[in-house]
Each structure stands twice: as C-alpha cells, then as structure tokens.
Amino acid sequence: MKRLLITGGAGFIGSEFVRQGVKRGFELIVIDKLSYAGDMDRIKEVEDNIAFYKADITDKNLIEGIFKKEKPDAIVHWAAESHVDRSIMDASPFVDTNVRGTQILLDVAKGSDIEKFINISTDEVYGELGEDGQFFETTPLIQ
Ligand SMILES: NC(=O)c1ccc[n+]([C@@H]2O[C@H](COP(=O)([O-])OP(=O)(O)OC[C@H]3O[C@@H](n4cnc5c(N)ncnc54)[C@H](O)[C@@H]3O)[C@@H](O)[C@H]2O)c1
C-alpha cells in the first residue's frame, strides 16, 4: 500500500499524519476544503511532495474525479467538523461533512480499487466516562 488519499490533511492532526507520511515514503494525495480549521502552513514543508486538492468531500463529482485520476490504494479520512461546541450553535455543517461527506467517500471508495478505508473518529462519541473510567471500542455510543 503506497498511495494514500488523506482527507482533512491541513487540519490539526491530519497535517501531522501528512508530514509523517511523506517522511515514511508514502505517495500522498491530500484533500482539504480549507475551512476556518484548515491551514496550509501546517504542511508547507512537504507541499512539493504531495498532490493537494482544495476540495469539499461533499462534492461527489469532484471526489470521483480525484479517485479516478489518482487511483489511491487506501484512504485515511480525517476531514471533519471537529469542534463540538460549534455543533451546539449550528449542527448542519456537522451533518453535512461528518455524515454526508463520509457516506460519499464510502460510496466512491466502494466503486474503486481501494484496499483499506480508515475512518478517524473521537472518544467523544462515548460521552462522559463511566464509573470504571475507561472506554473500549465495544462501549455503547452516547448512553
Ligand atoms: N484534535 C484532537 O485532539 C482529536 C482527538 C481525537 C480524534 N480527533 C478526530 O480527528 C479528526 C480530525 O481532527 P482535527 O483536530 O485534525 O480537526 P481540525 O478541525 O483541525 O481539521 C479538520 C480538517 O478537515 C477539513 N474539512 C472540514 N470539512 C471538510 C470538508 N467538507 N471537505 C474537505 N475538508 C474538510 C478542514 O478544513 C480541516 O483542515 C476528527 O474526526 C476528530 O474528531 C481529533
């Protein structure tokens, strides 16, 4: 697995994955819509070593075009509306990107030769820590 398609690669954590991926010799195709949370300065040091697309993952035609052109082996999906407090003010961008955008990526990936789809999530989906103070992947989501 050599060619990785990274979404949200200009974000806080996605950008570190991009920098590390380049160092480790992967060929990276990075998609980011550069929202208020995206910053190209984070990946400036590797920008000559990646293919970068300023694109929104909710734009299915655009995403299909990128898959067809770049033919990635795997996808690592970091793009998200990630600041929970903002969802209290307006949940619609969260539904758009986190739900609809993820579904579009899954649909496009299904119609391609992708070997692996890695979806990044957060422990916040488990809610408050219970009495035993631990989460597991089998813990029910938000009780
Ligand atoms: N930051 C943390 O400490 C942390 C911890 C655990 C899990 N996570 C998870 O990791 C993922 C990324 O977190 P982060 O902190 O890097 O987030 P971030 O908000 O810093 O970055 C998100 C990136 O996604 C891009 N983006 C948003 N909507 C998009 C869209 N529709 N199309 C294309 N690009 C879009 C933004 O421009 C930004 O560059 C999230 O799922 C988050 O829940 C983060």
Side-chain angles (χ1 to χ4, degrees), residues 8 10-14 32-35 37-38 55-57 78-80 82-83 97 120-122:
F12 180 61
I13 301 198
D32 198 298
K33 83 169 182 185
L34 299 179
S35 72
D56 191 320
I57 59 165
W78 296 93
S82 67
H83 298 119
T97 290
I120 311 302
S121 184
T122 168

Side-chain angles (χ1 to χ4, degrees), residues 2 6 25 27 34 39 48 73 80 84 90 94 96 107 112 117 129:
K2 189 85 175 128
I6 315 297
E27 294 167 11
L34 299 179
D39 184 353
D48 293 340
D73 303 318
V84 177
D90 180 9
F94 287 73
D96 252 5
D107 282 348
S112 75
F117 189 118
L129 267 181

Side-chain angles (χ1 to χ4, degrees), residues 2-140:
K2 189 85 175 128
R3 288 176 71 70
L4 306 184
L5 188 145
I6 315 297
T7 70
F12 180 61
I13 301 198
S15 58
E16 175 61 9
F17 189 91
V18 168
R19 293 190 299 265
Q20 292 291 333
V22 168
K23 269 190 210 154
R24 286 165 168 72
F26 287 98
E27 294 167 11
L28 300 188
I29 304 115
V30 179
I31 295 178
D32 198 298
K33 83 169 182 185
L34 299 179
S35 72
Y36 76 92
D39 184 353
M40 285 301 283
D41 278 351
R42 294 186 177 123
I43 49 174
K44 204 174 174 44
E45 68 193 67
V46 296
E47 69 186 349
D48 293 340
N49 308 101
I50 61 175
F52 182 82
Y53 292 89
K54 183 176 187 300
D56 191 320
I57 59 165
T58 64
D59 185 337
K60 189 172 185 188
N61 288 336
L62 198 53
I63 298 300
E64 271 175 342
I66 296 170
F67 267 68
K68 273 193 190 123
K69 178 164 185 255
E70 299 289 354
K71 299 186 176 32
D73 303 318
I75 176 165
V76 188
H77 176 33
W78 296 93
E81 286 293 334
S82 67
H83 298 119
V84 177
D85 288 354
R86 293 171 66 95
S87 70
I88 297 163
M89 306 301 289
D90 180 9
S92 50
F94 287 73
V95 174
D96 252 5
T97 290
N98 301 2
V99 179
R100 205 165 65 80
T102 300
Q103 182 229 316
I104 285 170
L105 287 171
L106 286 166
D107 282 348
V108 175
K110 245 175 93 179
S112 75
D113 293 328
I114 287 276
E115 291 168 34
K116 196 169 272 214
F117 189 118
I118 300 174
N119 184 58
I120 311 302
S121 184
T122 168
D123 64 353
E124 294 197 41
V125 298
Y126 298 115
E128 298 292 319
L129 267 181
E131 275 177 18
D132 62 356
Q134 292 186 71
F135 296 125
F136 302 95
E137 286 193 358
T138 50
T139 303

